[in-house]
Amino acid sequence: MSEARRELTLLMKATRTSQKRLADLLGIAPTTVNRWVRGERGDTIEPPFYAVNFMRAYIQLPDKTRERLPMIERGTQ
């Protein structure tokens, strides 16, 4: 497991953030987050720098503030 994937999954566990919640916060598809965190598959990709940095900032927020963060709606383009 890469260091970025390990850190992202640890931060997600520490903040009790599901893959769907992270995807909604970042405005991306849940399948994309799934590809970042699962291992040992051919279509696994490394988590991007912005996602890990987002979680580094997110963990510093109080629980109540995290709960109130709005979701980004994914538009059809």
Side-chain angles (χ1 to χ4, degrees), residues 20-27 58 66-74:
K20 179 167 180 2
R21 170 84 172 148
L22 179 57
D24 289 343
L25 287 166
L26 296 175
Y58 187 70
R66 278 192 235 129
E67 292 170 10
R68 291 193 316 258
L69 280 180
M71 304 298 179
I72 298 173
E73 293 185 30
R74 292 184 303 275

Side-chain angles (χ1 to χ4, degrees), residues 16-49:
R16 297 180 308 278
T17 303
S18 68
Q19 291 180 20
K20 179 167 180 2
R21 170 84 172 148
L22 179 57
D24 289 343
L25 287 166
L26 296 175
I28 59 175
T31 54
T32 302
V33 176
N34 183 263
R35 287 182 182 149
W36 295 343
V37 298
R38 70 180 177 201
E40 312 304 322
R41 299 257 326 233
D43 59 347
T44 299
I45 57 176
E46 286 298 307
F49 184 72

